Every structure is written in C-alpha cells, then in structure tokens.
Amino acid sequence: MAESNHATADTGSSKLVLEHISKSFKTSSLNVQALDDVTLRIAEGEFVCLVGPSGCGKSTLLNIVAGLDRPDRGLVEADGQTITAPGPHRLMMFQEAALFPWLTVLGNVLFGLKLSNGLTAAERQEKAEYFLELVGLKRFMHSNVHELSGGMKQRVALARALAPNPSVLLMDEPFGALDALTREQLYGDIQRIWSQHRKTIVFVTHNVREAVCLGDRVILFSPNPGRIREEFAIPLPRPRDINSVDLARYATEITRVLKGYVQTEVAG
Amino acid sequence: MIARWLSASLFFLALLAAWHFAVAAKFWSPLLLPSPESVFDYLRSAVEDGTLWEATLVTLRRLLIGYSIGILVGLPLGLLTASSRWSQDTIGVLALGLQTLPSVCWVPLALLWFGQTESAMLFVVVMGTLWSLILATDNGVRTIPPIYTRAARSMGSTGLHTWTHVVLPASLPFLLSGMKQGWAFAWRSLMAAEIFVTILTGFGLGHLLHYGRELNAMDQVIGVMLVIVVIGLAVDKTLFAPMERFLHRRWGTGRQ
Ligand SMILES: Nc1ncnc2c1ncn2[C@@H]1O[C@H](COP(=O)(O)OP(=O)(O)OP(=O)(O)O)[C@@H](O)[C@H]1O
Ligand SMILES: [Mg+2]
C-alpha cells in the first residue's frame, strides 16, 4: 500500500506507468525473455508509438497493459491503480482481427458497447452506426464477418475498439493489412479522434513513418531480450501529413538508428 | 430446385418399383419380403385405427423428454469438464468411457433399477444422449481460438457473460454436431429399449416393431421401419438442417 502511494506521488499525471517490467515465456523447446526491465511512463492524452523488430515483445507489453497477462516482475499502473485485470477504460485492438464470427459486423461493434453501461439500446445502435460510418463500412453493417476482406475486418475491429469510448487505446499494428490510401485516411481519422476525445494511445507498428506521423513519442525496442533501446520525441505540429518532408527527416533518422542496432546485433 | 426435387423423386420411385418387381418375381417368399402395396395397406389401416399415431406420439414424447434432459445436463457438464482440470479428470474420463458403451447395454440396468416403467425408458435415452453431448461440448470449448475470449475480456466481459456470450456461441458448430450425434444415439437407444422391454404405460414404435415380428407380420415390421426412417429424416430436415445452414452462412464454412 505504502509502496503504491509512493509510486503514484512520484509519477504525477502519468496515465500509464510501467516500472521494471519483465516477462519471459517458457515453452518445451525454448525460454524466451520477451521483456527485460522495461520502464515507461505515458502521460494522459499522449500518443506513444512502439517500434521494433519482430519478436521484441511489443505485443507482450500491450497485453500486460491491457491486463490480459501479468508480468513476472515489475509494476503496471493505470491512473495510479495497479492493473490486475482488463478494464473497460483500456481497450485493445489485436494484431490479428479478433472479430467474432458468430456476430454480424454490427453485432461485433455492439458487443463492447453493451458491456459499457449507461446507454440505451437506441444510443448503442446510433454509436455503432456512427463508428462504422467513420471507418467507411456502414453499408456492410449487416454482413457476416467472413464476407469482409482482411483490411475491412481491421476497420471493423477499429470501430469496435473506438465505440465504447475508452480513455486508453492499445493498438497492435492495426493498419498492417490496409492499403496505403485507406491507411492515410485513417491516420487523419485517428488523429482527429485522439485530439477531440483526449485519448491516451499506445500504438505498435513496424512502419517508422507511420510512427512518426502519429506519435508524440516513438519508442524503439530491441529483441532478445526485449528492451527499450531509445526514445524520440516528435515535436511536429498536427495534424501531420505522412508525406511531409519534416516527417521524413525524423523517419530517416529513426530508421538509421534502428538499422544500426539491428546490424550490430547480427554482427555481434 | 425443381430439377433436384424431380431427380430425387425419380430415384425413390425407381427404388419402389425395384422393390415391387423383386416381390413380383418371387425371389423371396412373400412372408419374408412383403410387397410395397401390402406395407402401404398396413400403414393405412394402422393410421385409421389410430395405433400408429399413438405409438408415434408415445415414442416421440419419450425421446423429447429424454433428449432434453440429456442436453440440459450434458451441456453444463461439458462446459465444466472443459474449464476445470479436476472435472476433466473425473467427469470427463467417465464420459469418455461410458460413451463407448453401446446404449442398448443400459437396458438391463434400467430394468433392474426402474422396473418396467417410463423411467427406465427415459434413463436409457438420457444415457444415450448425455455422454456424447458432454464430449462434444468439451471438445467445442477447447477448440475455440483463445483470441476470442481475450478480445471479450479486454472489452470488459467476465465470468458468466464470457461463457454465455463468447464460449457458447463460439463453440456452436461443435455443439450442433454433438446435438445431432446425441439425437441419433437417443433414437437408437430408445428403439432398443422399446423392442426389448414391454411397458404398460405406453406402446411405442419399437413395441409395434416387436409385435410385428412376434406375429410374423412382415408388412408391419417394414411399415414401422419406414415410419422410423421418415421421422428421423423429418427431424433432421426441420430441426438440424436450418441450424446448420445458419451456421454455415455466418461462419462462411461448408460448400457454397
Ligand atoms: N504465448 C506465448 N508463448 C510462448 N512464447 C511467446 C508467447 N507470446 C510471445 N512469445 C514470445 O515472446 C517474444 C515476444 O513476442 P511478441 O508477440 O511480444 O513480439 P512482437 O514484438 O509483438 O513481434 P511482432 O512485431 O512480430 O508482432 C517472441 O519471441 C515470442 O516467441
Ligand atoms: Mg506483435
């Protein structure tokens, strides 16, 4: 108790606090240190992008923040409370589209809304339709999930995560399966939603440009064991255009650093 | 659609004709293989004097009650064995073992425990349904991709809500095939029980079959067999087939 008070006092207005997080996976064939002593503070309303090579523990970290997995060691807090279970204010958008095949598109978006209390059926319906419209899929609201393309599924998953209006959004490569045009449109949408609703967003991506376009901060991870390698603040004005020259400069710099340590890793 | 109906009707007409001519050619004694006409005559008279109708009702009532009990008990038990190690090692193993037991093997036990009563009939039907339903439910729940429950949990679903809104619907395809199998087993065990056991509280289709044999009335035996087949088909087409079509449409499985 004393300890958690201490942590709260010392972190000020941090929305999410991760201190000395370690997590390893033991399987029959391998023992993987997915996260090793990761410490990260994320302020209320901050947009943080996590970048790093495959297998460096980004998804593991999101799962821990979501409350779906527990770390082996370390402290995770949201709003000063230790995270022990998933909470309605932290919604996760998974790397693979985790839509429910037994529900229609609309049913999927309504699922989370029904769990967040205080809405009438009509309001839920209205909200669901609003967010489906936002991702450009209102026309498909009565479709079955298997009738959508991979990118459309990701957009439904985005609508499903946005609809209950969580204060923290955890997004695991949400735009991986989308074409460039839809992606650019969603960059605009997500920045608008983020600034209008003051959400805290943790966003995992492999695409450095995407990270620079969206993030207030870009955090670089390195694998084996998964660690935070470096942090970049991105003080560019918003809304940002992914094709702007300033943005490209940051992206080039970060890519150079990323390549550097991936290569030393391979060489060493 | 019409072509499908037409070719199917042609097939069954041809089957009837083959039967008719096989009897007419006197390959077998008419005592062993009655003509379709005499079977039809039997069915008509049995419908007219009400025996067939009554026997069908008695049998279906037993089947429905026993089957419902089997499902109501088997479904939760299957969920239980899938969710706790302890019940998997106990109830799960029991179900696995007893499911291999042909349901007719329950008849002697049922007679000793319940005597010649309705309860004995129901017991046999329940034993026929229960174990395969437990196994199907258990298997269905274990086969669900964990991402579904994780996604639901991240949206705030817990406990009972996760079971009713995620685990159960996600395992529906398995549940349905378990229910189909349970139905087939229930049907079989009830017929076995009715053929072996005379019960004063109701005269089912199995009894009609049994007495047909006792009286050497082959037209009755074959007539009742036909009725049993038609009921089985009707249940499949009206109950299970629509559910299967719904599942295929939703999940995008099956042949298009
Ligand atoms: N459930 C699990 N069981 C065993 N090992 C796991 C499990 N989940 C993750 N790992 C291991 O932990 C490490 C980190 O995995 P994680 O999914 O967090 O990587 P990632 O950074 O998200 O990679 P990617 O960019 O490819 O999605 C990997 O080496 C992986 O093999
Ligand atoms: Mg990942």
Side-chain angles (χ1 to χ4, degrees):
Chain A
M1 191 63 209
E3 202 170 80
S4 87
N5 275 342
H6 167 76
T8 318
D10 151 311
T11 53
S13 71
S14 289
K15 180 82 181 171
L16 297 171
V17 177
L18 295 98
E19 299 223 33
H20 309 296
I21 300 292
S22 296
K23 171 100 188 163
S24 60
F25 291 101
K26 290 180 186 56
T27 60
S28 48
S29 57
L30 220 56
N31 191 354
V32 180
Q33 186 75 28
L35 291 173
D36 181 42
D37 197 21
V38 169
T39 295
L40 182 63
R41 274 155 206 220
I42 297 172
E44 168 108 55
E46 199 180 5
F47 200 135
V48 172
C49 291
L50 312 182
V51 180
S54 185
C56 64
K58 304 179 300 289
S59 299
T60 308
L61 189 74
L62 281 201
N63 280 321
I64 289 174
V65 176
L68 291 167
D69 287 329
R70 304 295 305 275
D72 298 338
R73 259 169 292 126
L75 176 82
V76 219
E77 285 185 348
D79 298 315
Q81 304 279 323
T82 304
I83 296 174
T84 52
H89 302 302
R90 277 169 284 126
L91 273 194
M92 172 92 155
M93 199 186 149
F94 293 87
Q95 191 164 4
E96 62 268 53
L99 298 179
F100 301 142
W102 58 92
L103 295 174
T104 59
V105 166
L106 182 66
N108 269 281
V109 180
L110 283 172
F111 188 96
L113 282 171
K114 284 181 186 158
L115 283 163
S116 61
N117 40 27
L119 290 176
T120 66
E123 285 167 338
R124 286 197 296 258
Q125 177 81 18
E126 191 189 336
K127 265 192 192 284
E129 289 185 21
Y130 169 80
F131 282 101
L132 281 172
E133 176 91 76
L134 185 72
V135 296
L137 287 176
K138 192 165 173 207
R139 223 156 54 78
F140 290 89
M141 65 181 185
H142 297 300
S143 297
N144 297 312
V145 170
H146 71 92
E147 291 157 355
L148 306 179
S149 72
M152 288 158 84
K153 284 183 193 146
Q154 285 289 3
R155 277 145 73 196
V156 176
L158 180 62
R160 182 172 77 170
L162 289 174
N165 194 22
S167 60
V168 177
L169 256 179
L170 308 165
M171 308 175 82
D172 199 348
E173 295 181 41
F175 303 150
L178 300 183
D179 63 283
L181 271 176
T182 315
R183 231 187 244 228
E184 282 189 28
Q185 181 212 326
L186 283 173
Y187 294 152
D189 291 336
I190 199 99
Q191 288 185 75
R192 204 183 59 243
I193 292 165
W194 168 73
S195 63
Q196 274 173 7
H197 300 276
R198 292 317 292 168
K199 289 184 191 309
T200 307
I201 299 186
V202 187
F203 189 103
V204 170
T205 174
H206 282 289
N207 184 331
V208 175
R209 229 170 213 279
E210 183 171 283
V212 174
C213 174
L214 295 173
D216 294 324
R217 262 193 299 162
V218 175
I219 314 243
L220 278 190
F221 278 73
S222 66
N224 303 317
R227 283 190 180 140
I228 293 185
R229 195 61 177 239
E230 212 153 331
E231 263 191 51
F232 299 84
I234 314 289
L236 292 173
R238 295 183 186 262
R240 298 174 186 163
D241 175 12
I242 186 126
N243 299 311
S244 84
V245 183
D246 288 342
L247 200 149
R249 237 191 327 266
Y250 277 98
T252 319
E253 164 69 9
I254 294 175
T255 310
R256 198 180 52 73
V257 175
L258 187 67
K259 271 192 186 148
Y261 75 69
V262 169
Q263 268 158 14
T264 52
E265 215 102 297
V266 172
Chain B
M1 196 62 205
I2 293 175
R4 267 180 73 190
W5 272 100
L6 210 65
S7 63
S9 334
L10 274 178
F11 172 77
F12 287 106
L13 276 178
L15 220 54
L16 266 180
W19 178 7
H20 174 86
F21 287 115
V23 174
K26 293 207 167 46
F27 286 140
W28 296 278
S29 140
L31 278 181
L32 293 184
L33 185 68
S35 67
E37 294 85 347
S38 64
V39 170
F40 181 74
D41 282 342
Y42 161 75
L43 286 177
R44 202 180 48 200
S45 71
V47 167
E48 273 165 6
D49 68 16
T51 47
L52 191 63
W53 188 230
E54 230 166 80
T56 306
L57 277 185
V58 166
T59 296
L60 282 183
R61 202 172 55 91
R62 286 174 182 155
L63 200 58
L64 279 182
I65 296 177
Y67 183 62
S68 310
I69 295 176
I71 288 183
L72 287 180
V73 177
L75 209 74
L77 282 183
L79 296 180
L80 197 68
T81 59
S83 54
S84 105
R85 177 72 55 81
W86 179 82
S87 40
Q88 182 199 351
D89 293 341
T90 52
I91 303 170
V93 171
L94 188 74
L96 198 62
L98 292 182
Q99 195 249 352
T100 61
L101 197 67
S103 39
V104 61
C105 300
W106 289 104
V107 175
L109 191 71
L111 280 178
L112 287 173
W113 280 3
F114 298 101
Q116 287 166 294
T117 60
E118 271 318 289
S119 312
M121 295 280 123
L122 286 183
F123 178 74
V124 174
V125 177
V126 171
M127 289 301 116
T129 317
L130 184 61
W131 312 114
S132 65
L133 206 84
I134 292 180
L135 292 180
T137 310
D138 178 273
N139 182 32
V141 171
R142 285 175 197 281
T143 317
I144 303 175
I147 186 83
Y148 295 152
T149 37
R150 289 173 78 83
R153 274 174 61 208
S154 116
M155 286 186 273
S157 166
T158 50
L160 191 64
H161 183 273
T162 309
W163 283 98
T164 54
H165 285 72
V166 183
V167 176
L168 270 184
S171 48
L172 262 185
F174 287 89
L175 290 188
L176 184 62
S177 66
M179 281 168 68
K180 259 182 98 163
Q181 200 191 21
W183 174 261
F185 284 163
W187 213 183
R188 271 153 227 212
S189 40
L190 180 61
M191 281 306 107
E194 286 190 348
I195 288 173
F196 284 118
V197 185
T198 318
I199 285 194
L200 305 173
T201 49
F203 204 73
L205 286 172
H207 298 120
L208 275 187
L209 202 61
H210 176 70
Y211 287 112
R213 186 189 68 88
E214 298 254 290
L215 302 171
N216 261 330
M218 276 316 277
D219 50 354
Q220 178 169 341
V221 169
I222 292 184
V224 174
M225 282 170 68
L226 275 180
V227 172
I228 293 174
V229 167
V230 167
I231 292 176
L233 269 179
V235 168
D236 193 272
K237 292 278 180 216
T238 58
L239 206 66
F240 294 120
M243 288 204 261
E244 271 177 335
R245 271 201 301 278
F246 168 78
L247 284 185
H248 285 323
R249 209 170 48 236
R250 259 296 148 76
W251 260 256
T253 49
R255 209 159 53 88
Q256 294 301 303

